[in-house]
Amino acid sequence: MIYLSAALAFVLFSSCKNDAKSEVSETAQTEEYQGKEIGSEHDAEIDKLVSQMTLEEKIGMLHGNSMFSTGAVERLGIPELKMADGPLGVREEISRDSWAPAGVTNDFATYYPAGGGLAATWNAEMAHTFGNSLGEELRARDKDMLLSPAINMVRTPLGGRTYEYMSEDPFLNKKIAVPLIVGLQEKDVMACVKHYAANNQETNRDFVDVQIDERTLREIYLPAFEAAVKEAKSYAIMGAYNKFRGEYLCENDYMLNKILRDEWGFKGIVVSDWAAVHSTVKSLKSGLDIEMGTPKPFNEFFLADKLIAAVKAGEIAESEIDLHVKRILRVLFQVKAMGGGERAKGSISTEAHYQDAYKIAAEDIVLLKNDNNALPLKLDGVKSIAVIGNNAMKKNSLGGFGAGVKTKREVTPLEGLKNRLPSSIKINYAEGYVERYDEKNKGKLGDITLNGPVTIDELDPAKVQEAVEAAKKSDVAVIFAGSNRDYETEASDRRDLHLPFGQEELIKKVLAVNPRTIVVFVAGAPFDIGEITQKSPAVVWSWFNGSEGGNALADVILGKVNPSGKLPWTMPKNIMDSPAHATKSFPGGKSVNYAEGLLIGYRWFDTKNIAPLFPFGYGLSYTTFALENGKTDKTSYNSNEIISVFIDVKNTGKVDGKEVVQVYSSKTDSKVARASKELKGFKKVLVKSGGSENVTIQIPVKELAYYDVSAKKWTVEPGKYTLKIGNSSRDIKKEIAITIQ
Ligand code: BGC
C-alpha cells in the first residue's frame, strides 16, 4: 500500500490542535489507499508456458473445473485458481461438484460484519483492517481469490442483498471499497469485486435488462468499480447476472472491453457470476476471462468444449485464447500462487481476527434515538433485565440463500449481555415473536416471505404473554427485533418495509407495560420503524454484525463503547417516498429503467424535500459535538487543486466519542441537473470529552466534476459551489462558498 505517512500527513495538513491528539485523527488525516499494479516481470516466463500448453489445457483454465476453482496444468506447474465467497468471511468449503458443504472440519472462519455495517463505520481504516484480516483467513484456507467486496448500489431499500452491499452513495461506497481491496490484496490474494454492474435488485436478476442513462451510470453506478480498478488495482472483477442495455453483463463489450479495459486500464481478470454466461465466442470476445457456474458437467460450460470446438472451427483464433490465459497467469504470479516468492502467511479464526471483527462491529452500531439519555443503561438499582425477541438468540453467519460463514464464534445479543452484565443482575429472557415462513417455500430462491396457512405476521399468544410478563417483572427491558438472513436474502427482494413476524405489535405491548424499554434492531436494510421509534425512548440499529456482534452491542448498550456508526443509506418513512418506488421503476419486468436517474437515495429525498425517517449519514452519540470555525484554505481553486476544509470538532458532552464530519457539495446554478447535495468528503475523529480536534478534509476539485455525456469525459464546471459541512445529509452546520476557475 502506498500512502502518505501518518507523520508527514500530520505535519502537512493538521493545523492547531488544542487537545491531546487522538489516534484516529492523526492517522486518518490524508491516508489514500493505493493498490499494487499487476506486474509484467513474469511475462517472458508466461509466454513460454503458454507456448507449451495444448489448446485443451489453455481452455481448462477459462472455466470452472470444480464449483470454486479453474483447471490446473500440473505438468507445467500451473495450479488451480482457487476461489471462495464472500463478503461475510471465507465461506465454508463447498463440494467440488455440487453446492453441498464439503463436510470438512478445517473450514471454520471468522464471521465479519456485513457490508452495510462496514460502511456504517464511515472509517477507511476499518475497511483496511477488514481486508487484511480476511486476506489472512483466505490464505489459511489456501485460496487465491475472495469473491468480495460486493459493491452494488442500494437503489431500493427492499433489495435482498442490501445487507451485503454498502451504500446508496457512490463516494462512501468507493471510500470503503478501496481500502478493503487494498488490505485484502496485501495478503497475496485477489479481490473479485462484484457484481459488475447495475445488479441492484434480485428480482429477475438472471435476465432483467437494466436501462440507465449514461450520466447516471458514470456518476452513480460505476464510481466504486472505477476506483476499485484505478486506485485499489483489484486483480479481478465479477460480471453480473443481468443485462445492461440489451446485453448480458458477461458478454457486454461496452462494459467489459470499452469501459473496464480501454478506459480504466483494467489488467486483471473478469470472472462470471455463477451461471451468468450465455455464449461462447461472444463472451470471450466481449472481455470475459473465466466462466464459473453451478453444477453440471464442467466440460459443458460455454467456455469449455464449445470453446475448443469454436477454435477448431476457426470462429476464434487461438491467439485470442492465449490472451485470456496470459491474464490469468499474470494474476496467479501476482499473488505468488506461482513463481515462488514468499507468500503472505495465513491464520484463521484467531483471537486477533475476532477482535478485528469486534472493532468494526463496535464502530458500526448506530444510535437512532436516545430520549433523556435512556442509554447507556444505568445499572444503579437495576436488579433484572428483560431480554426479549427472537433476534436476541438468532445467529446470522449462515442463513438464507447465498454465501455465509461457518464459524465457531457468533456471540448473540443475549450472550453479549450475559458476558457483560454483572452476575447479580437477573436476565429474564422471552422469545416474544417467532419466525414464521411458509415452509413450502423455505429455501426456494429466498422466497420465504410468502404467506402460508399461518400468516408470517401471526404472533403466538403464549409467547407474547411470556414477553409481557418478563417486561413487567423486570426493571428494564431490551427488545432485539428486526430481521435476519433468512428474511433478507440473495435471490429475492423484500415485498415491503414492514417488520415481519408481528414484531410491531409485540413491541407495543412490551412498551405498554414497561416504559423503560430499549429497542434494538438487528437488520441489514431499512424497515418501517417509524411508529416504534416514536414510542420508544431509545432505539439502536445493529447489523448482521459478525462473530463479536453481541459483545459489541452489549458494550454499546452498557456504555463501554460510545456509538459512532452513521447510516450508509436513507431510512424512508414510506417505501413510496424512495426514488425507485416513487418513479414506479422497481422492479420492472423483462427490463427496468432507472427513472430517478441521478437522484438515488438522499439525493432524491434532499432535492425533492421529502423528509425521511432518518437521513443518510445520521447517527447519535452518548456525547454531543459542536462543529465550529469551518473554513477552507482558499476561496478560489483551479480544477487540478485540492480543497482543504478545516473544522473544529468540539466534544461538548461528558464522554469521549467519535464524530463523522461530512462535506457535501452543491451547485445551484449548474448548467446540468444536479442533486441538491452530493457527498464529497468525510472524516471520523475521536474527540475527548471537553476537547476539540481540528479536522482537515481534503477534496480534490475533480471530485466536483460531472460526467459530460456528449464530450465523453468528466468535466469540472467553473463557477460558484457551496460546501456544506455537517453530520448527516440533513444536519448541515456550516456552508462555505468557493469558486472554481
Ligand atoms: C452470487 C455471487 C457469489 C456466487 C458464488 C452467486 O449466486 O451472486 O455473489 O459469489 O454465487 O457463490
Side-chain angles (χ1 to χ4, degrees):
M1 173 181 65
I2 305 161
Y3 60 86
L4 274 174
S5 79
L8 175 66
F10 183 66
V11 173
L12 283 177
F13 301 115
S14 181
S15 60
C16 57
K17 293 188 146 268
N18 42 18
D19 195 303
K21 296 176 307 254
S22 71
E23 249 175 52
V24 169
S25 64
E26 259 187 66
T27 54
Q29 283 295 335
T30 55
E31 247 179 37
E32 285 299 337
Y33 294 88
Q34 283 283 338
K36 205 164 136 201
E37 194 81 63
I38 296 172
S40 52
E41 60 273 22
H42 295 283
D43 280 7
E45 204 176 329
I46 288 172
D47 286 347
K48 194 170 161 213
L49 280 171
V50 174
S51 73
Q52 294 166 272
M53 289 166 77
T54 64
L55 179 63
E56 287 72 15
E57 285 170 338
K58 290 175 191 173
I59 288 176
M61 291 179 65
L62 305 189
H63 64 87
N65 181 45
S66 82
M67 289 296 291
F68 284 92
S69 63
T70 58
V73 186
E74 275 171 31
R75 69 179 182 96
L76 297 174
I78 301 172
E80 293 185 326
L81 194 166
K82 301 184 248 39
M83 313 168 184
D85 273 309
L88 309 182
V90 188
R91 186 179 190 167
E92 73 186 314
E93 201 59 33
I94 300 294
S95 304
R96 279 188 74 85
D97 54 8
S98 85
W99 283 108
V104 295
T105 51
N106 60 354
D107 59 346
F108 290 94
T110 302
Y111 158 40
Y112 294 87
L118 180 63
T121 65
W122 289 62
N123 188 342
E125 277 178 63
M126 289 295 149
H128 185 253
T129 300
F130 186 105
N132 261 189
S133 197
L134 242 168
E136 285 169 3
E137 300 236 329
L138 201 67
R139 281 308 307 131
R141 290 273 303 279
D142 193 28
K143 305 290 180 196
D144 305 302
M145 177 189 284
L146 187 74
L147 305 170
S148 174
I151 58 171
N152 293 99
M153 297 295 291
V154 176
R155 176 176 180 248
T156 161
L158 302 183
R161 298 182 89 166
T162 301
Y163 77 89
E164 210 176 343
Y165 297 153
M166 291 177 182
S167 180
E168 64 184 27
D169 179 79
F171 185 83
L172 178 60
N173 200 10
K174 78 174 174 186
K175 289 294 171 192
I176 299 296
V178 167
L180 191 165
I181 296 163
V182 170
L184 193 66
Q185 295 193 160
E186 279 167 0
K187 300 297 174 183
D188 296 333
V189 292
M190 309 168 204
C192 184
V193 181
K194 65 192 190 184
H195 311 83
Y196 182 72
N199 181 184
N200 309 296
Q201 66 184 55
E202 298 304 288
T203 310
N204 302 340
R205 70 171 178 171
D206 290 335
F207 57 81
V208 68
D209 185 6
V210 180
Q211 308 295 327
I212 309 178
D213 70 86
E214 190 66 16
R215 202 180 140 207
T216 301
L217 175 73
R218 300 292 184 144
E219 293 188 21
I220 304 291
Y221 293 93
L222 294 188
F225 287 104
E226 185 172 0
V229 170
K230 290 186 176 168
E231 296 170 35
K233 310 283 189 311
S234 184
Y235 301 152
I237 200 161
M238 185 188 288
Y241 282 122
N242 49 298
K243 287 181 182 167
F244 176 70
R245 293 187 191 153
E247 302 283 2
Y248 282 108
L249 262 318
C250 289
E251 51 182 58
N252 198 306
D253 177 68
Y254 183 60
M255 297 295 278
L256 299 182
N257 285 333
K258 305 272 181 331
I259 296 185
L260 184 62
R261 294 210 185 262
D262 299 350
E263 282 187 38
W264 298 349
F266 180 62
K267 294 210 178 75
I269 54 174
V270 178
V271 179
S272 79
D273 202 337
W274 269 236
V277 179
H278 299 267
S279 63
T280 299
V281 173
K282 188 176 176 196
S283 297
L284 211 70
K285 281 188 182 279
S286 304
L288 182 70
D289 297 299
I290 294 178
E291 177 190 11
M292 297 303 293
T294 49
K296 67 175 177 183
F298 295 107
N299 66 316
E300 288 177 15
F301 280 23
F302 285 97
L303 299 194
D305 287 357
K306 292 187 184 82
L307 185 56
I308 298 175
V311 176
K312 289 187 173 157
E315 290 163 34
I316 184 164
E318 188 161 348
S319 56
E320 280 202 51
I321 306 294
D322 293 353
L323 194 99
H324 298 274
V325 172
K326 285 179 188 176
R327 282 179 189 158
I328 298 167
L329 286 169
R330 240 177 246 134
V331 289
L332 284 169
F333 274 103
Q334 183 72 16
V335 298
K336 302 181 186 137
M338 291 181 71
E342 206 181 320
R343 203 171 182 188
K345 295 257 173 320
S347 55
I348 195 158
S349 290
T350 58
E351 194 53 39
H353 288 177
Y354 290 135
Q355 288 318 309
D356 289 337
Y358 171 84
K359 263 197 296 189
I360 296 161
E363 277 214 17
D364 72 19
I365 294 165
V366 186
L367 181 62
L368 293 177
K369 182 180 178 187
N370 196 16
D371 277 2
N372 304 318
N373 296 327
L375 283 173
L377 280 186
K378 289 150 209 78
L379 298 179
D380 316 342
V382 170
K383 293 198 183 64
S384 57
I385 297 184
V387 174
I388 296 167
N390 176 282
N391 263 354
M393 300 258 275
K394 179 80 184 173
K395 296 196 175 184
N396 286 301
S397 50
L398 293 169
F401 180 88
V405 175
K406 182 170 140 190
T407 188
K408 283 194 174 146
R409 186 182 302 180
E410 179 174 356
V411 180
T412 63
L414 178 61
E415 284 163 358
L417 279 175
K418 281 185 181 161
N419 291 342
R420 301 306 205 237
L421 281 170
S423 54
S424 55
I425 293 182
K426 183 158 192 292
I427 294 180
N428 297 313
Y429 173 70
E431 189 182 15
Y433 67 89
V434 274
E435 295 173 65
R436 287 196 194 276
Y437 304 118
D438 179 355
E439 283 302 323
K440 282 202 303 290
N441 283 300
K442 198 166 178 183
K444 188 180 131 200
L445 282 193
D447 200 359
I448 53 178
T449 65
L450 297 175
N451 291 337
V454 183
T455 79
I456 195 160
D457 294 322
E458 221 160 284
L459 285 164
D460 175 340
K463 297 249 173 208
V464 175
Q465 193 53 30
E466 197 193 353
V468 166
E469 290 306 322
K472 252 194 218 163
K473 69 178 182 211
S474 305
D475 299 315
V476 181
V478 186
I479 304 185
F480 293 96
S483 76
N484 57 54
R485 285 195 52 238
D486 289 314
Y487 192 75
E488 287 180 53
T489 173
E490 183 183 327
S492 82
D493 296 314
R494 279 184 292 147
R495 294 180 169 192
D496 52 40
L497 284 180
H498 94 282
L499 277 172
F501 320 130
Q503 293 179 69
E504 184 154 340
E505 198 186 321
L506 171 79
I507 298 170
K508 284 182 194 161
K509 288 193 163 133
V510 171
L511 273 162
V513 296
N514 192 337
R516 241 187 125 182
T517 295
I518 311 295
V519 182
V520 180
F521 290 106
V522 174
F527 276 86
D528 180 0
I529 58 167
E531 223 186 310
I532 295 298
T533 301
Q534 217 180 17
K535 295 200 155 84
S536 323
V539 179
V540 175
W541 188 270
S542 185
W543 310 89
F544 303 138
N545 221 5
S547 284
E548 283 279 326
N551 283 336
L553 205 42
D555 285 341
V556 164
I557 292 169
L558 299 174
K560 185 174 163 222
V561 168
N562 187 353
S564 65
K566 303 277 178 178
L567 292 178
W569 31 247
T570 305
M571 186 90 77
K573 282 186 180 160
N574 297 300
I575 190 62
M576 291 314 286
D577 292 343
S578 279
H581 301 267
T583 57
K584 298 196 170 48
S585 54
F586 171 84
K590 268 176 77 174
S591 106
V592 58
N593 176 30
Y594 289 12
E596 75 286 3
L598 296 165
L599 300 185
I600 184 175
Y602 69 91
R603 283 166 165 76
W604 172 270
F605 284 82
D606 291 1
T607 305
K608 305 274 178 193
N609 251 317
I610 301 165
L613 184 60
F614 294 109
F616 173 78
Y618 171 87
L620 302 171
S621 165
Y622 293 151
T623 188
T624 45
F625 297 100
L627 302 186
E628 293 173 352
N629 306 319
K631 54 180 189 277
T632 49
D633 56 337
K634 301 199 292 177
T635 53
S636 177
Y637 301 85
N638 67 43
S639 57
N640 297 319
E641 287 185 297
I642 293 176
I643 305 163
S644 289
V645 178
F646 308 108
I647 193 150
D648 293 331
V649 182
K650 216 167 152 181
N651 183 336
T652 50
K654 292 199 175 64
V655 286
D656 301 351
K658 290 179 182 172
E659 178 61 308
V660 179
V661 183
Q662 303 161 33
V663 183
Y664 298 84
S665 81
S666 106
K667 180 152 186 54
T668 44
D669 61 351
S670 177
K671 64 177 190 193
V672 294
R674 292 192 192 234
S676 70
K677 252 178 248 124
E678 297 172 20
L679 183 71
K680 298 296 175 191
F682 62 87
K683 187 151 295 166
K684 190 169 216 178
V685 61
L686 169 68
V687 193
K688 298 242 182 276
S689 162
S692 175
E693 290 286 334
N694 184 269
V695 168
T696 304
I697 296 175
Q698 296 199 301
I699 304 173
V701 172
K702 66 174 171 45
E703 282 290 350
L704 305 179
Y706 72 95
Y707 188 80
D708 183 340
V709 176
S710 50
K712 295 193 173 147
K713 61 171 199 230
W714 290 92
T715 306
V716 179
E717 189 185 2
K720 287 196 168 44
Y721 289 76
T722 309
L723 298 181
K724 301 183 174 184
I725 313 172
N727 55 14
S728 84
S729 89
R730 289 267 169 155
D731 198 354
I732 301 302
K733 310 285 189 193
K734 171 84 183 174
E735 300 199 353
I736 303 174
I738 57 162
T739 305
I740 305 299
Q741 302 300 332

